Each structure stands twice: as structure tokens, then as C-alpha cells.
Amino acid sequence: MAIQFEFYKNPQPEKEGEEPSYHPRVVNFQHVTTQKLAREIHMATTFGKAEVEAMLMELSRCMGNHLCEGERVHLDGIGYFQITLQATEPVHSLTTRADKVKLKSINFQADRDLKGLCMSTHLRRSKYKPHSASLSEEEIDKKLTAYFATHPVLTRSNMQSLCSFTQSMASRQIRRLKAKGNLQNIGKPTQPIYIPTPGHYENNFNRYEK
């Protein structure tokens, strides 16, 4: 068991002559569902899987009720949960009305036992590379020109593979190219398929019409 991580470049610009700095970040694209937790608890106890799922759902409901009262909830061996608030605009008076305040988040502070369990694990560099390749706009255009020479349409996953981008970076670049007028969507909003607009990334395929 190990925590996989990768280094990411710090967002603040470096001073002239200063080397870039990086920070470690956990890299894991999986998430654990209630059903999986219930199955693991079921295997380790005498409780049935359905019973465990029901208890976890009831725990969530009970915690929500207490948090909505402004109370701090503590689960032994897990930690503390507490509501945090924020003002919707700058506050300059103690008589500011309640409608100027809203929920910000639910903070969590881990118990020592949970921290200790995680602190004892190993760390290793991720075998996956979550970073996007650093390509200029000109380099992206060249890749798309070559791509459309043999392909009629482009999807977000095609963009990922073509430019070695992450999913979010591929989506961001496609939005940029759409706004610029280089690409147009001929698919559905929820299932987009892109083709070049006239004058961009010309290919030998027949034009698709909406």
C-alpha cells in the first residue's frame, strides 16, 4: 500500500534567474463508494452488507441534521466535522443582515488515530503522468492540420491522445479553438464532435453539415 504522487509546478511566476519550484500532489483517479466501504465493513464484521449501507446512509443524515444546527460532529477515530460560513459581500457593520451570509464549506479535522494510520504509509512516484504536454498554439495547430489530413472529425479524447493532454487541458484547448472560430461542433452538446471551420486544418474529407 502506497500513496502515489507527482510534482506540479507552483503557479506563482519565478523571479528572473530563479529556477522554477514544484510541490507534491497526490495522484489517484479512483474513488471509494459507499457500497465498497459497506462491502469491506461487512467482510470484517458480522453485519450484513445491506445493514452496513443503511447505517452509513443514516449516519450521513444524522450528521447533516446536527451540522445544520451549527453543531460540531465528532466521529471517534475519524475526526471532527464543522460548518464554515462566508459573507456574500464585504461586511462593515455588526448589524449586517443574515441574508448576507451563506454556507462556505464543511471543514474536516482528522483524529490522531486516522492521521497516524495515513502517516505510516509509503510514498512513491506515480507511474501515470497526469501532466499535459507543453505545446504552443502553433504546435497545436500543426498537430491538428496533420490529424485532419487523415481524420474527418475530432473528439475530446482524440485531442488528448494527439497532444498528450489531460482531459481538462484537452477540453480547455477545444473551447479556445471554438471561441477562435477554428473548430465547430456538429454533434450534440452532451456528445460533441468537432470539425474544422472553412480555412482551418483543411482535409480531403467531405464537409459535415449540421
PDB file of all heavy atoms in Angstrom, residues 85-97:
ATOM      1  N   LEU A  85     -18.738  29.445   7.368  1.00  0.00           N
ATOM      2  CA  LEU A  85     -19.580  30.426   6.697  1.00  0.00           C
ATOM      3  C   LEU A  85     -18.727  31.473   5.979  1.00  0.00           C
ATOM      4  O   LEU A  85     -17.534  31.602   6.241  1.00  0.00           O
ATOM      5  CB  LEU A  85     -20.493  31.129   7.710  1.00  0.00           C
ATOM      6  CG  LEU A  85     -21.344  30.229   8.605  1.00  0.00           C
ATOM      7  CD1 LEU A  85     -22.073  31.079   9.641  1.00  0.00           C
ATOM      8  CD2 LEU A  85     -22.336  29.423   7.785  1.00  0.00           C
ATOM      9  N   GLN A  86     -19.371  32.215   5.084  1.00  0.00           N
ATOM     10  CA  GLN A  86     -18.702  33.341   4.439  1.00  0.00           C
ATOM     11  C   GLN A  86     -19.736  34.415   4.114  1.00  0.00           C
ATOM     12  O   GLN A  86     -20.924  34.113   3.910  1.00  0.00           O
ATOM     13  CB  GLN A  86     -17.973  32.916   3.172  1.00  0.00           C
ATOM     14  CG  GLN A  86     -18.875  32.454   2.048  1.00  0.00           C
ATOM     15  CD  GLN A  86     -18.082  32.070   0.805  1.00  0.00           C
ATOM     16  OE1 GLN A  86     -16.856  32.068   0.805  1.00  0.00           O
ATOM     17  NE2 GLN A  86     -18.790  31.743  -0.272  1.00  0.00           N
ATOM     18  N   ALA A  87     -19.295  35.652   4.088  1.00  0.00           N
ATOM     19  CA  ALA A  87     -20.169  36.759   3.725  1.00  0.00           C
ATOM     20  C   ALA A  87     -20.260  36.866   2.214  1.00  0.00           C
ATOM     21  O   ALA A  87     -19.289  36.610   1.501  1.00  0.00           O
ATOM     22  CB  ALA A  87     -19.647  38.061   4.318  1.00  0.00           C
ATOM     23  N   THR A  88     -21.418  37.230   1.708  1.00  0.00           N
ATOM     24  CA  THR A  88     -21.608  37.357   0.258  1.00  0.00           C
ATOM     25  C   THR A  88     -21.082  38.685  -0.270  1.00  0.00           C
ATOM     26  O   THR A  88     -20.991  38.870  -1.483  1.00  0.00           O
ATOM     27  CB  THR A  88     -23.092  37.234  -0.098  1.00  0.00           C
ATOM     28  OG1 THR A  88     -23.838  38.241   0.620  1.00  0.00           O
ATOM     29  CG2 THR A  88     -23.619  35.849   0.294  1.00  0.00           C
ATOM     30  N   GLU A  89     -20.741  39.603   0.640  1.00  0.00           N
ATOM     31  CA  GLU A  89     -20.175  40.897   0.264  1.00  0.00           C
ATOM     32  C   GLU A  89     -19.405  41.441   1.462  1.00  0.00           C
ATOM     33  O   GLU A  89     -19.570  40.946   2.590  1.00  0.00           O
ATOM     34  CB  GLU A  89     -21.279  41.874  -0.148  1.00  0.00           C
ATOM     35  CG  GLU A  89     -22.296  42.135   0.942  1.00  0.00           C
ATOM     36  CD  GLU A  89     -23.452  43.000   0.458  1.00  0.00           C
ATOM     37  OE1 GLU A  89     -23.982  42.718  -0.642  1.00  0.00           O
ATOM     38  OE2 GLU A  89     -23.823  43.952   1.184  1.00  0.00           O
ATOM     39  N   PRO A  90     -18.540  42.428   1.274  1.00  0.00           N
ATOM     40  CA  PRO A  90     -17.792  42.969   2.416  1.00  0.00           C
ATOM     41  C   PRO A  90     -18.709  43.455   3.527  1.00  0.00           C
ATOM     42  O   PRO A  90     -19.722  44.120   3.271  1.00  0.00           O
ATOM     43  CB  PRO A  90     -17.002  44.132   1.790  1.00  0.00           C
ATOM     44  CG  PRO A  90     -16.876  43.770   0.349  1.00  0.00           C
ATOM     45  CD  PRO A  90     -18.150  43.048  -0.002  1.00  0.00           C
ATOM     46  N   VAL A  91     -18.389  43.104   4.758  1.00  0.00           N
ATOM     47  CA  VAL A  91     -19.200  43.479   5.926  1.00  0.00           C
ATOM     48  C   VAL A  91     -18.508  44.608   6.683  1.00  0.00           C
ATOM     49  O   VAL A  91     -17.365  44.480   7.098  1.00  0.00           O
ATOM     50  CB  VAL A  91     -19.408  42.264   6.854  1.00  0.00           C
ATOM     51  CG1 VAL A  91     -20.154  42.679   8.113  1.00  0.00           C
ATOM     52  CG2 VAL A  91     -20.165  41.164   6.122  1.00  0.00           C
ATOM     53  N   HIS A  92     -19.232  45.706   6.866  1.00  0.00           N
ATOM     54  CA  HIS A  92     -18.669  46.862   7.563  1.00  0.00           C
ATOM     55  C   HIS A  92     -19.470  47.230   8.808  1.00  0.00           C
ATOM     56  O   HIS A  92     -19.156  48.210   9.476  1.00  0.00           O
ATOM     57  CB  HIS A  92     -18.607  48.069   6.626  1.00  0.00           C
ATOM     58  CG  HIS A  92     -17.802  47.818   5.382  1.00  0.00           C
ATOM     59  ND1 HIS A  92     -16.426  47.678   5.390  1.00  0.00           N
ATOM     60  CD2 HIS A  92     -18.186  47.648   4.081  1.00  0.00           C
ATOM     61  CE1 HIS A  92     -15.988  47.457   4.163  1.00  0.00           C
ATOM     62  NE2 HIS A  92     -17.035  47.422   3.350  1.00  0.00           N
ATOM     63  N   SER A  93     -20.492  46.445   9.106  1.00  0.00           N
ATOM     64  CA  SER A  93     -21.331  46.746  10.261  1.00  0.00           C
ATOM     65  C   SER A  93     -21.761  45.464  10.952  1.00  0.00           C
ATOM     66  O   SER A  93     -22.055  44.455  10.288  1.00  0.00           O
ATOM     67  CB  SER A  93     -22.577  47.534   9.825  1.00  0.00           C
ATOM     68  OG  SER A  93     -23.492  47.662  10.898  1.00  0.00           O
ATOM     69  N   LEU A  94     -21.821  45.486  12.281  1.00  0.00           N
ATOM     70  CA  LEU A  94     -22.270  44.325  13.050  1.00  0.00           C
ATOM     71  C   LEU A  94     -23.773  44.125  12.941  1.00  0.00           C
ATOM     72  O   LEU A  94     -24.306  43.122  13.424  1.00  0.00           O
ATOM     73  CB  LEU A  94     -21.868  44.479  14.520  1.00  0.00           C
ATOM     74  CG  LEU A  94     -20.351  44.473  14.797  1.00  0.00           C
ATOM     75  CD1 LEU A  94     -20.081  44.670  16.292  1.00  0.00           C
ATOM     76  CD2 LEU A  94     -19.726  43.170  14.321  1.00  0.00           C
ATOM     77  N   THR A  95     -24.470  45.071  12.311  1.00  0.00           N
ATOM     78  CA  THR A  95     -25.914  44.938  12.132  1.00  0.00           C
ATOM     79  C   THR A  95     -26.267  44.352  10.761  1.00  0.00           C
ATOM     80  O   THR A  95     -27.427  44.365  10.360  1.00  0.00           O
ATOM     81  CB  THR A  95     -26.599  46.305  12.296  1.00  0.00           C
ATOM     82  OG1 THR A  95     -26.085  47.210  11.307  1.00  0.00           O
ATOM     83  CG2 THR A  95     -26.346  46.878  13.687  1.00  0.00           C
ATOM     84  N   THR A  96     -25.246  43.862  10.034  1.00  0.00           N
ATOM     85  CA  THR A  96     -25.482  43.265   8.711  1.00  0.00           C
ATOM     86  C   THR A  96     -26.487  42.131   8.819  1.00  0.00           C
ATOM     87  O   THR A  96     -26.436  41.312   9.740  1.00  0.00           O
ATOM     88  CB  THR A  96     -24.163  42.738   8.118  1.00  0.00           C
ATOM     89  OG1 THR A  96     -23.254  43.838   7.988  1.00  0.00           O
ATOM     90  CG2 THR A  96     -24.391  42.101   6.755  1.00  0.00           C
ATOM     91  N   ARG A  97     -27.402  42.042   7.885  1.00  0.00           N
ATOM     92  CA  ARG A  97     -28.477  41.046   7.928  1.00  0.00           C
ATOM     93  C   ARG A  97     -27.967  39.640   7.621  1.00  0.00           C
ATOM     94  O   ARG A  97     -26.945  39.456   6.965  1.00  0.00           O
ATOM     95  CB  ARG A  97     -29.575  41.416   6.920  1.00  0.00           C
ATOM     96  CG  ARG A  97     -30.249  42.744   7.216  1.00  0.00           C
ATOM     97  CD  ARG A  97     -31.332  43.038   6.213  1.00  0.00           C
ATOM     98  NE  ARG A  97     -30.885  42.822   4.832  1.00  0.00           N
ATOM     99  CZ  ARG A  97     -31.600  43.198   3.774  1.00  0.00           C
ATOM    100  NH1 ARG A  97     -32.757  43.784   3.923  1.00  0.00           N
ATOM    101  NH2 ARG A  97     -31.137  42.961   2.546  1.00  0.00           N
TER     102      ARG A  97
END
